[in-house]
Amino acid sequence: MKKRTLIGPFKQLLPMTGIKLKGAISDHELEIIEDGGILIEDQLIMAVGNFKALAAEYPEVSTTVLNGNHVCLPGFIDAHTHICFGGSRSKDYAMRNAGKSYLEIAHAGGGIWDTVTQTRISSLEELTKNTIKRANRHLKNGTTTIEVKSGYGLTVSEELKMLRAIKGANEQALPELISTCLAAHMLPKDFEGTEKEYLKMISKELFPILKEENLTHRIDAFIEQSAFSADDIQAYFSKASEMNFDITVHADQFSAGGSKVAVEFNAISADHLEASTEKEIALLAHSDTISVALPGASIGLGCDFTPARELLDAGAALAIASDHNPGSAPMGDLLTQASILGTFQKLTNAEVLAGITFRAAAALKLEDRGKLEAGLLADLAVFHSDNYQDILYNQGNLKPCMVWKNGALVFDRHK
Ligand code: NIG
Ligand code: FE
């Protein structure tokens, strides 16, 4: 017997439907259902509309009646994080603020390699437990789907440990976790060989196990002077494509180049883009690759934001993710960061909200979420307010009062 529940009335319900995937969006394009309701059947949305009309149409269903004013949005999707890691890098943060650059710290033995060392000495159980803890914290801020990368293991067995931890965490965490293999995060300092040899070893030895154990269908690489060059990555991405992995790229963070590779390989997304120039923006805008801005990394490093306004005006699809990681983006608060990106880049409410809902779903190739529409997953972020504009106005300080994941109320601030 299927379980049906009608939730509402919401003062405003924003289904985020009927908006194009690419380009600028004006706030007038946002549909706002006043006195809205959502009918849920098991884990899916069955109907969205006026609360009273739905109650009359389905008189037999149980109802969750909300008192006071509430705004309902699709649960947020964080399409880029590194929340599976050991240790902390507060030392790096202090050094950066005392004048050292991210790359200088990396060269001096800090940076990503420091987290690799600390992740390698963490057990599978510790990594699993910490990933669940971080994911559940994000859920309280309205995030119901989180992409999580490996990339702090950098050997076959250590990358497997991370990806198994992410898989285990997904079974217990409240948000759904989508894993990505980032074994191409940097050339591990203890690998005896070249970048190309390392990548060849990973694709030969690790890729087949990822398939066998169903650990991930996504391959990421950091294309940057301190990591892998566009030339290094060709054979690696070719192999990944041949094996039907989806490709995503850490692109144009400090220097341009990665986005070109992303577009050439028809990557699902190109993420970072702080150093993208007009040329890269045009390339991305004319491609099917989703551009992902990571304001958390700009805030964490104290550097420029991704040119989100220019990307949208050129016609790109822009998602916004937290990049939550121990090095460049330790804050891990998607809504705060997306709001701040909006103020610096002059993004409309519609553009920011699209960037953390349906456009973020597209950055993960997920067609079953990101909008409030019949047939999609019932993932909801509900705020105590009478006006959706309050959400970004409060720059992340207005937290959801309730969150539903797969049709279940998983967080209720009143309780
Ligand atoms: O997305 N850019 C490379 N990777 C991460 C940083 C990881 C780290 O510093 O530990 C990023 O910013
Ligand atoms: Fe990242």
Side-chain angles (χ1 to χ4, degrees), residues 139-187:
L139 180 106
K140 292 185 182 173
N141 292 346
T143 303
T144 46
T145 302
I146 308 175
E147 186 262 14
V148 188
K149 299 176 195 297
S150 66
Y152 294 126
L154 310 187
T155 62
V156 170
S157 62
E158 291 296 324
E159 284 292 305
L160 284 173
K161 182 177 79 183
M162 287 195 74
L163 289 160
R164 287 173 185 143
I166 298 166
K167 190 173 181 177
N170 181 44
E171 284 159 15
Q172 297 172 61
L174 294 169
E176 181 173 347
L177 309 184
I178 308 289
S179 63
T180 303
C181 174
L182 179 59
H185 203 180
M186 65 178 278
L187 177 68

mmCIF file of all heavy atoms in Angstrom, residues 139-187:
data_model
loop_
_atom_site.group_PDB
_atom_site.id
_atom_site.type_symbol
_atom_site.label_atom_id
_atom_site.label_comp_id
_atom_site.label_asym_id
_atom_site.label_seq_id
_atom_site.Cartn_x
_atom_site.Cartn_y
_atom_site.Cartn_z
ATOM 1 N N LEU A 139 22.678 18.734 5.527
ATOM 2 C CA LEU A 139 21.237 18.495 5.388
ATOM 3 C C LEU A 139 20.430 19.528 6.184
ATOM 4 O O LEU A 139 19.406 20.021 5.715
ATOM 5 C CB LEU A 139 20.871 17.088 5.860
ATOM 6 C CG LEU A 139 19.366 16.853 5.698
ATOM 7 C CD1 LEU A 139 19.075 15.924 4.536
ATOM 8 C CD2 LEU A 139 18.730 16.396 6.958
ATOM 9 N N LYS A 140 20.913 19.874 7.357
ATOM 10 C CA LYS A 140 20.200 20.859 8.187
ATOM 11 C C LYS A 140 20.162 22.223 7.517
ATOM 12 O O LYS A 140 19.391 23.096 7.908
ATOM 13 C CB LYS A 140 20.870 20.991 9.562
ATOM 14 C CG LYS A 140 20.719 19.750 10.392
ATOM 15 C CD LYS A 140 21.297 19.981 11.768
ATOM 16 C CE LYS A 140 21.185 18.710 12.574
ATOM 17 N NZ LYS A 140 21.862 18.816 13.860
ATOM 18 N N ASN A 141 21.045 22.442 6.542
ATOM 19 C CA ASN A 141 21.031 23.701 5.795
ATOM 20 C C ASN A 141 20.280 23.551 4.472
ATOM 21 O O ASN A 141 20.383 24.403 3.598
ATOM 22 C CB ASN A 141 22.462 24.190 5.544
ATOM 23 C CG ASN A 141 23.137 24.614 6.844
ATOM 24 O OD1 ASN A 141 22.472 24.782 7.870
ATOM 25 N ND2 ASN A 141 24.446 24.784 6.805
ATOM 26 N N GLY A 142 19.563 22.451 4.328
ATOM 27 C CA GLY A 142 18.682 22.302 3.166
ATOM 28 C C GLY A 142 19.251 21.487 2.017
ATOM 29 O O GLY A 142 18.610 21.350 0.976
ATOM 30 N N THR A 143 20.460 20.956 2.189
ATOM 31 C CA THR A 143 21.096 20.215 1.087
ATOM 32 C C THR A 143 20.728 18.741 1.168
ATOM 33 O O THR A 143 21.072 18.065 2.140
ATOM 34 C CB THR A 143 22.627 20.402 1.141
ATOM 35 O OG1 THR A 143 22.905 21.812 1.086
ATOM 36 C CG2 THR A 143 23.309 19.720 -0.026
ATOM 37 N N THR A 144 20.042 18.260 0.158
ATOM 38 C CA THR A 144 19.540 16.877 0.194
ATOM 39 C C THR A 144 20.337 15.937 -0.712
ATOM 40 O O THR A 144 20.149 14.719 -0.648
ATOM 41 C CB THR A 144 18.049 16.854 -0.191
ATOM 42 O OG1 THR A 144 17.862 17.662 -1.355
ATOM 43 C CG2 THR A 144 17.181 17.401 0.941
ATOM 44 N N THR A 145 21.193 16.502 -1.565
ATOM 45 C CA THR A 145 22.064 15.675 -2.415
ATOM 46 C C THR A 145 23.460 16.294 -2.402
ATOM 47 O O THR A 145 23.598 17.508 -2.587
ATOM 48 C CB THR A 145 21.553 15.637 -3.873
ATOM 49 O OG1 THR A 145 20.220 15.125 -3.886
ATOM 50 C CG2 THR A 145 22.444 14.772 -4.771
ATOM 51 N N ILE A 146 24.482 15.470 -2.181
ATOM 52 C CA ILE A 146 25.855 15.995 -2.092
ATOM 53 C C ILE A 146 26.793 15.126 -2.927
ATOM 54 O O ILE A 146 26.881 13.915 -2.704
ATOM 55 C CB ILE A 146 26.362 15.996 -0.624
ATOM 56 C CG1 ILE A 146 25.358 16.703 0.299
ATOM 57 C CG2 ILE A 146 27.735 16.636 -0.522
ATOM 58 C CD1 ILE A 146 25.735 16.630 1.781
ATOM 59 N N GLU A 147 27.489 15.746 -3.832
ATOM 60 C CA GLU A 147 28.550 15.028 -4.550
ATOM 61 C C GLU A 147 29.767 14.991 -3.630
ATOM 62 O O GLU A 147 30.066 15.985 -2.945
ATOM 63 C CB GLU A 147 28.862 15.768 -5.845
ATOM 64 C CG GLU A 147 29.839 15.065 -6.754
ATOM 65 C CD GLU A 147 31.264 15.575 -6.638
ATOM 66 O OE1 GLU A 147 31.592 16.316 -5.659
ATOM 67 O OE2 GLU A 147 32.064 15.242 -7.514
ATOM 68 N N VAL A 148 30.454 13.848 -3.584
ATOM 69 C CA VAL A 148 31.637 13.715 -2.717
ATOM 70 C C VAL A 148 32.766 13.061 -3.516
ATOM 71 O O VAL A 148 32.583 11.989 -4.102
ATOM 72 C CB VAL A 148 31.346 12.842 -1.471
ATOM 73 C CG1 VAL A 148 32.534 12.887 -0.509
ATOM 74 C CG2 VAL A 148 30.074 13.280 -0.757
ATOM 75 N N LYS A 149 33.929 13.697 -3.509
ATOM 76 C CA LYS A 149 35.056 13.197 -4.295
ATOM 77 C C LYS A 149 36.053 12.429 -3.434
ATOM 78 O O LYS A 149 36.221 12.740 -2.254
ATOM 79 C CB LYS A 149 35.807 14.375 -4.925
ATOM 80 C CG LYS A 149 34.936 15.196 -5.870
ATOM 81 C CD LYS A 149 35.695 16.410 -6.380
ATOM 82 C CE LYS A 149 34.744 17.414 -7.021
ATOM 83 N NZ LYS A 149 34.043 16.912 -8.191
ATOM 84 N N SER A 150 36.738 11.495 -4.072
ATOM 85 C CA SER A 150 37.920 10.906 -3.449
ATOM 86 C C SER A 150 39.068 11.888 -3.745
ATOM 87 O O SER A 150 38.841 13.073 -3.859
ATOM 88 C CB SER A 150 38.197 9.514 -4.027
ATOM 89 O OG SER A 150 38.560 9.610 -5.388
ATOM 90 N N GLY A 151 40.296 11.427 -3.860
ATOM 91 C CA GLY A 151 41.359 12.345 -4.264
ATOM 92 C C GLY A 151 42.339 12.689 -3.161
ATOM 93 O O GLY A 151 43.273 13.471 -3.377
ATOM 94 N N TYR A 152 42.123 12.117 -1.958
ATOM 95 C CA TYR A 152 43.106 12.291 -0.890
ATOM 96 C C TYR A 152 43.732 10.941 -0.520
ATOM 97 O O TYR A 152 44.258 10.772 0.575
ATOM 98 C CB TYR A 152 42.456 12.910 0.355
ATOM 99 C CG TYR A 152 41.957 14.334 0.188
ATOM 100 C CD1 TYR A 152 40.647 14.674 0.493
ATOM 101 C CD2 TYR A 152 42.816 15.341 -0.250
ATOM 102 C CE1 TYR A 152 40.190 15.979 0.369
ATOM 103 C CE2 TYR A 152 42.365 16.651 -0.379
ATOM 104 C CZ TYR A 152 41.052 16.961 -0.070
ATOM 105 O OH TYR A 152 40.613 18.259 -0.194
ATOM 106 N N GLY A 153 43.625 9.981 -1.457
ATOM 107 C CA GLY A 153 44.229 8.667 -1.240
ATOM 108 C C GLY A 153 45.454 8.522 -2.137
ATOM 109 O O GLY A 153 46.575 8.312 -1.687
ATOM 110 N N LEU A 154 45.193 8.671 -3.445
ATOM 111 C CA LEU A 154 46.245 8.724 -4.464
ATOM 112 C C LEU A 154 47.125 7.471 -4.575
ATOM 113 O O LEU A 154 48.273 7.568 -5.045
ATOM 114 C CB LEU A 154 47.099 9.999 -4.318
ATOM 115 C CG LEU A 154 46.331 11.330 -4.219
ATOM 116 C CD1 LEU A 154 47.300 12.509 -4.259
ATOM 117 C CD2 LEU A 154 45.296 11.494 -5.321
ATOM 118 N N THR A 155 46.604 6.337 -4.131
ATOM 119 C CA THR A 155 47.119 5.030 -4.557
ATOM 120 C C THR A 155 45.852 4.236 -4.842
ATOM 121 O O THR A 155 44.765 4.653 -4.429
ATOM 122 C CB THR A 155 47.896 4.285 -3.450
ATOM 123 O OG1 THR A 155 46.998 4.028 -2.362
ATOM 124 C CG2 THR A 155 49.117 5.038 -2.957
ATOM 125 N N VAL A 156 45.981 3.100 -5.497
ATOM 126 C CA VAL A 156 44.776 2.318 -5.803
ATOM 127 C C VAL A 156 44.051 1.966 -4.504
ATOM 128 O O VAL A 156 42.846 2.197 -4.361
ATOM 129 C CB VAL A 156 45.143 1.049 -6.620
ATOM 130 C CG1 VAL A 156 43.944 0.109 -6.735
ATOM 131 C CG2 VAL A 156 45.637 1.454 -8.002
ATOM 132 N N SER A 157 44.791 1.455 -3.529
ATOM 133 C CA SER A 157 44.104 0.985 -2.317
ATOM 134 C C SER A 157 43.553 2.142 -1.484
ATOM 135 O O SER A 157 42.474 2.029 -0.898
ATOM 136 C CB SER A 157 45.024 0.100 -1.483
ATOM 137 O OG SER A 157 46.135 0.864 -1.072
ATOM 138 N N GLU A 158 44.264 3.257 -1.440
ATOM 139 C CA GLU A 158 43.773 4.390 -0.640
ATOM 140 C C GLU A 158 42.586 5.097 -1.310
ATOM 141 O O GLU A 158 41.685 5.586 -0.635
ATOM 142 C CB GLU A 158 44.909 5.376 -0.352
ATOM 143 C CG GLU A 158 45.963 4.840 0.604
ATOM 144 C CD GLU A 158 45.427 4.565 2.017
ATOM 145 O OE1 GLU A 158 44.567 5.327 2.490
ATOM 146 O OE2 GLU A 158 45.854 3.568 2.623
ATOM 147 N N GLU A 159 42.596 5.150 -2.644
ATOM 148 C CA GLU A 159 41.431 5.708 -3.340
ATOM 149 C C GLU A 159 40.224 4.792 -3.117
ATOM 150 O O GLU A 159 39.099 5.256 -2.911
ATOM 151 C CB GLU A 159 41.720 5.874 -4.842
ATOM 152 C CG GLU A 159 42.611 7.051 -5.163
ATOM 153 C CD GLU A 159 41.929 8.398 -4.889
ATOM 154 O OE1 GLU A 159 40.841 8.649 -5.416
ATOM 155 O OE2 GLU A 159 42.494 9.207 -4.125
ATOM 156 N N LEU A 160 40.477 3.471 -3.135
ATOM 157 C CA LEU A 160 39.376 2.530 -2.878
ATOM 158 C C LEU A 160 38.839 2.705 -1.471
ATOM 159 O O LEU A 160 37.630 2.689 -1.256
ATOM 160 C CB LEU A 160 39.864 1.083 -3.078
ATOM 161 C CG LEU A 160 40.012 0.641 -4.535
ATOM 162 C CD1 LEU A 160 40.673 -0.737 -4.612
ATOM 163 C CD2 LEU A 160 38.652 0.615 -5.248
ATOM 164 N N LYS A 161 39.744 2.924 -0.520
ATOM 165 C CA LYS A 161 39.291 3.132 0.863
ATOM 166 C C LYS A 161 38.345 4.339 0.925
ATOM 167 O O LYS A 161 37.280 4.279 1.537
ATOM 168 C CB LYS A 161 40.507 3.347 1.786
ATOM 169 C CG LYS A 161 40.128 3.526 3.249
ATOM 170 C CD LYS A 161 41.356 3.662 4.154
ATOM 171 C CE LYS A 161 41.938 5.054 4.097
ATOM 172 N NZ LYS A 161 43.158 5.224 4.906
ATOM 173 N N MET A 162 38.744 5.428 0.266
ATOM 174 C CA MET A 162 37.897 6.627 0.282
ATOM 175 C C MET A 162 36.540 6.367 -0.374
ATOM 176 O O MET A 162 35.493 6.741 0.153
ATOM 177 C CB MET A 162 38.584 7.783 -0.464
ATOM 178 C CG MET A 162 39.748 8.403 0.265
ATOM 179 S SD MET A 162 40.180 9.988 -0.492
ATOM 180 C CE MET A 162 38.844 11.053 0.067
ATOM 181 N N LEU A 163 36.579 5.724 -1.549
ATOM 182 C CA LEU A 163 35.316 5.519 -2.281
ATOM 183 C C LEU A 163 34.405 4.521 -1.562
ATOM 184 O O LEU A 163 33.184 4.655 -1.596
ATOM 185 C CB LEU A 163 35.598 5.106 -3.731
ATOM 186 C CG LEU A 163 36.161 6.274 -4.555
ATOM 187 C CD1 LEU A 163 36.895 5.790 -5.794
ATOM 188 C CD2 LEU A 163 35.050 7.251 -4.948
ATOM 189 N N ARG A 164 35.014 3.557 -0.872
ATOM 190 C CA ARG A 164 34.193 2.633 -0.061
ATOM 191 C C ARG A 164 33.615 3.372 1.142
ATOM 192 O O ARG A 164 32.487 3.113 1.567
ATOM 193 C CB ARG A 164 35.027 1.430 0.385
ATOM 194 C CG ARG A 164 35.319 0.470 -0.765
ATOM 195 C CD ARG A 164 36.285 -0.625 -0.332
ATOM 196 N NE ARG A 164 36.663 -1.467 -1.456
ATOM 197 C CZ ARG A 164 37.879 -1.993 -1.638
ATOM 198 N NH1 ARG A 164 38.845 -1.766 -0.759
ATOM 199 N NH2 ARG A 164 38.116 -2.753 -2.680
ATOM 200 N N ALA A 165 34.394 4.296 1.697
ATOM 201 C CA ALA A 165 33.885 5.097 2.824
ATOM 202 C C ALA A 165 32.702 5.957 2.360
ATOM 203 O O ALA A 165 31.690 6.073 3.065
ATOM 204 C CB ALA A 165 34.988 5.974 3.402
ATOM 205 N N ILE A 166 32.819 6.538 1.176
ATOM 206 C CA ILE A 166 31.731 7.385 0.656
ATOM 207 C C ILE A 166 30.487 6.523 0.400
ATOM 208 O O ILE A 166 29.360 6.909 0.736
ATOM 209 C CB ILE A 166 32.174 8.136 -0.629
ATOM 210 C CG1 ILE A 166 33.351 9.073 -0.322
ATOM 211 C CG2 ILE A 166 31.009 8.907 -1.238
ATOM 212 C CD1 ILE A 166 34.097 9.603 -1.550
ATOM 213 N N LYS A 167 30.714 5.321 -0.146
ATOM 214 C CA LYS A 167 29.588 4.410 -0.404
ATOM 215 C C LYS A 167 28.916 4.015 0.918
ATOM 216 O O LYS A 167 27.687 4.021 1.034
ATOM 217 C CB LYS A 167 30.092 3.162 -1.140
ATOM 218 C CG LYS A 167 28.987 2.274 -1.670
ATOM 219 C CD LYS A 167 29.553 1.146 -2.525
ATOM 220 C CE LYS A 167 28.420 0.286 -3.057
ATOM 221 N NZ LYS A 167 28.904 -0.778 -3.941
ATOM 222 N N GLY A 168 29.739 3.701 1.919
ATOM 223 C CA GLY A 168 29.203 3.327 3.233
ATOM 224 C C GLY A 168 28.472 4.503 3.872
ATOM 225 O O GLY A 168 27.409 4.341 4.477
ATOM 226 N N ALA A 169 29.047 5.695 3.717
ATOM 227 C CA ALA A 169 28.412 6.892 4.280
ATOM 228 C C ALA A 169 27.059 7.137 3.616
ATOM 229 O O ALA A 169 26.085 7.507 4.274
ATOM 230 C CB ALA A 169 29.320 8.107 4.100
ATOM 231 N N ASN A 170 26.998 6.890 2.321
ATOM 232 C CA ASN A 170 25.730 7.100 1.601
ATOM 233 C C ASN A 170 24.617 6.208 2.141
ATOM 234 O O ASN A 170 23.457 6.590 2.142
ATOM 235 C CB ASN A 170 25.934 6.855 0.105
ATOM 236 C CG ASN A 170 24.670 7.081 -0.684
ATOM 237 O OD1 ASN A 170 23.965 8.061 -0.459
ATOM 238 N ND2 ASN A 170 24.342 6.163 -1.575
ATOM 239 N N GLU A 171 24.995 5.026 2.620
ATOM 240 C CA GLU A 171 23.969 4.115 3.144
ATOM 241 C C GLU A 171 23.388 4.623 4.466
ATOM 242 O O GLU A 171 22.288 4.252 4.832
ATOM 243 C CB GLU A 171 24.556 2.711 3.329
ATOM 244 C CG GLU A 171 24.710 1.996 1.987
ATOM 245 C CD GLU A 171 25.704 0.854 2.012
ATOM 246 O OE1 GLU A 171 26.082 0.409 3.115
ATOM 247 O OE2 GLU A 171 26.111 0.422 0.912
ATOM 248 N N GLN A 172 24.142 5.471 5.173
ATOM 249 C CA GLN A 172 23.662 5.912 6.487
ATOM 250 C C GLN A 172 23.342 7.401 6.596
ATOM 251 O O GLN A 172 22.618 7.803 7.488
ATOM 252 C CB GLN A 172 24.733 5.595 7.542
ATOM 253 C CG GLN A 172 25.005 4.097 7.691
ATOM 254 C CD GLN A 172 26.206 3.874 8.596
ATOM 255 O OE1 GLN A 172 26.176 4.266 9.750
ATOM 256 N NE2 GLN A 172 27.259 3.293 8.057
ATOM 257 N N ALA A 173 23.909 8.204 5.710
ATOM 258 C CA ALA A 173 23.699 9.660 5.814
ATOM 259 C C ALA A 173 22.286 10.016 5.372
ATOM 260 O O ALA A 173 21.671 9.285 4.587
ATOM 261 C CB ALA A 173 24.714 10.396 4.957
ATOM 262 N N LEU A 174 21.782 11.132 5.838
ATOM 263 C CA LEU A 174 20.434 11.556 5.447
ATOM 264 C C LEU A 174 20.395 12.085 4.009
ATOM 265 O O LEU A 174 19.499 11.729 3.263
ATOM 266 C CB LEU A 174 19.908 12.593 6.448
ATOM 267 C CG LEU A 174 19.681 12.024 7.862
ATOM 268 C CD1 LEU A 174 19.423 13.128 8.867
ATOM 269 C CD2 LEU A 174 18.526 11.022 7.855
ATOM 270 N N PRO A 175 21.353 12.905 3.573
ATOM 271 C CA PRO A 175 21.339 13.297 2.162
ATOM 272 C C PRO A 175 21.838 12.138 1.294
ATOM 273 O O PRO A 175 22.509 11.238 1.818
ATOM 274 C CB PRO A 175 22.350 14.455 2.078
ATOM 275 C CG PRO A 175 22.704 14.799 3.478
ATOM 276 C CD PRO A 175 22.430 13.585 4.310
ATOM 277 N N GLU A 176 21.534 12.177 0.018
ATOM 278 C CA GLU A 176 22.123 11.168 -0.882
ATOM 279 C C GLU A 176 23.504 11.661 -1.315
ATOM 280 O O GLU A 176 23.680 12.832 -1.639
ATOM 281 C CB GLU A 176 21.232 10.957 -2.111
ATOM 282 C CG GLU A 176 21.814 9.901 -3.038
ATOM 283 C CD GLU A 176 20.892 9.531 -4.191
ATOM 284 O OE1 GLU A 176 19.699 9.907 -4.162
ATOM 285 O OE2 GLU A 176 21.386 8.874 -5.122
ATOM 286 N N LEU A 177 24.481 10.771 -1.298
ATOM 287 C CA LEU A 177 25.838 11.128 -1.703
ATOM 288 C C LEU A 177 26.125 10.539 -3.080
ATOM 289 O O LEU A 177 25.873 9.360 -3.324
ATOM 290 C CB LEU A 177 26.857 10.599 -0.684
ATOM 291 C CG LEU A 177 26.593 10.932 0.793
ATOM 292 C CD1 LEU A 177 27.737 10.422 1.673
ATOM 293 C CD2 LEU A 177 26.414 12.434 0.992
ATOM 294 N N ILE A 178 26.643 11.372 -3.963
ATOM 295 C CA ILE A 178 27.025 10.932 -5.311
ATOM 296 C C ILE A 178 28.552 10.959 -5.341
ATOM 297 O O ILE A 178 29.152 12.027 -5.189
ATOM 298 C CB ILE A 178 26.486 11.913 -6.388
ATOM 299 C CG1 ILE A 178 24.969 12.172 -6.217
ATOM 300 C CG2 ILE A 178 26.856 11.445 -7.798
ATOM 301 C CD1 ILE A 178 24.059 11.044 -6.550
ATOM 302 N N SER A 179 29.174 9.808 -5.550
ATOM 303 C CA SER A 179 30.633 9.764 -5.450
ATOM 304 C C SER A 179 31.326 10.037 -6.785
ATOM 305 O O SER A 179 30.768 9.774 -7.855
ATOM 306 C CB SER A 179 31.075 8.404 -4.917
ATOM 307 O OG SER A 179 30.681 7.420 -5.833
ATOM 308 N N THR A 180 32.541 10.557 -6.690
ATOM 309 C CA THR A 180 33.363 10.830 -7.878
ATOM 310 C C THR A 180 34.799 10.426 -7.565
ATOM 311 O O THR A 180 35.302 10.716 -6.471
ATOM 312 C CB THR A 180 33.344 12.344 -8.215
ATOM 313 O OG1 THR A 180 31.991 12.750 -8.399
ATOM 314 C CG2 THR A 180 34.148 12.647 -9.476
ATOM 315 N N CYS A 181 35.452 9.789 -8.527
ATOM 316 C CA CYS A 181 36.862 9.421 -8.343
ATOM 317 C C CYS A 181 37.759 10.572 -8.791
ATOM 318 O O CYS A 181 37.761 10.955 -9.962
ATOM 319 C CB CYS A 181 37.185 8.163 -9.149
ATOM 320 S SG CYS A 181 38.948 7.775 -9.098
ATOM 321 N N LEU A 182 38.511 11.124 -7.842
ATOM 322 C CA LEU A 182 39.455 12.214 -8.149
ATOM 323 C C LEU A 182 40.890 11.739 -7.877
ATOM 324 O O LEU A 182 41.689 12.442 -7.269
ATOM 325 C CB LEU A 182 39.077 13.475 -7.342
ATOM 326 C CG LEU A 182 39.946 14.724 -7.504
ATOM 327 C CD1 LEU A 182 40.004 15.225 -8.934
ATOM 328 C CD2 LEU A 182 39.484 15.853 -6.578
ATOM 329 N N ALA A 183 41.193 10.526 -8.321
ATOM 330 C CA ALA A 183 42.569 10.037 -8.159
ATOM 331 C C ALA A 183 43.548 10.959 -8.898
ATOM 332 O O ALA A 183 44.737 10.996 -8.565
ATOM 333 C CB ALA A 183 42.680 8.608 -8.670
ATOM 334 N N ALA A 184 43.056 11.706 -9.893
ATOM 335 C CA ALA A 184 43.901 12.662 -10.618
ATOM 336 C C ALA A 184 43.841 14.034 -9.953
ATOM 337 O O ALA A 184 43.583 15.050 -10.602
ATOM 338 C CB ALA A 184 43.458 12.749 -12.072
ATOM 339 N N HIS A 185 44.075 14.080 -8.650
ATOM 340 C CA HIS A 185 44.046 15.355 -7.902
ATOM 341 C C HIS A 185 45.427 15.995 -7.928
ATOM 342 O O HIS A 185 45.579 17.200 -8.025
ATOM 343 C CB HIS A 185 43.604 15.067 -6.462
ATOM 344 C CG HIS A 185 43.013 16.247 -5.743
ATOM 345 N ND1 HIS A 185 42.568 16.170 -4.448
ATOM 346 C CD2 HIS A 185 42.792 17.531 -6.128
ATOM 347 C CE1 HIS A 185 42.102 17.351 -4.068
ATOM 348 N NE2 HIS A 185 42.227 18.198 -5.067
ATOM 349 N N MET A 186 46.471 15.196 -7.769
ATOM 350 C CA MET A 186 47.855 15.655 -7.939
ATOM 351 C C MET A 186 48.720 14.407 -8.103
ATOM 352 O O MET A 186 48.275 13.302 -7.783
ATOM 353 C CB MET A 186 48.328 16.466 -6.720
ATOM 354 C CG MET A 186 48.425 15.669 -5.433
ATOM 355 S SD MET A 186 49.049 16.637 -4.022
ATOM 356 C CE MET A 186 50.820 16.569 -4.292
ATOM 357 N N LEU A 187 49.927 14.594 -8.592
ATOM 358 C CA LEU A 187 50.853 13.460 -8.670
ATOM 359 C C LEU A 187 51.343 13.188 -7.246
ATOM 360 O O LEU A 187 51.965 14.054 -6.627
ATOM 361 C CB LEU A 187 52.038 13.808 -9.576
ATOM 362 C CG LEU A 187 53.119 12.727 -9.681
ATOM 363 C CD1 LEU A 187 52.592 11.489 -10.412
ATOM 364 C CD2 LEU A 187 54.363 13.262 -10.390
#
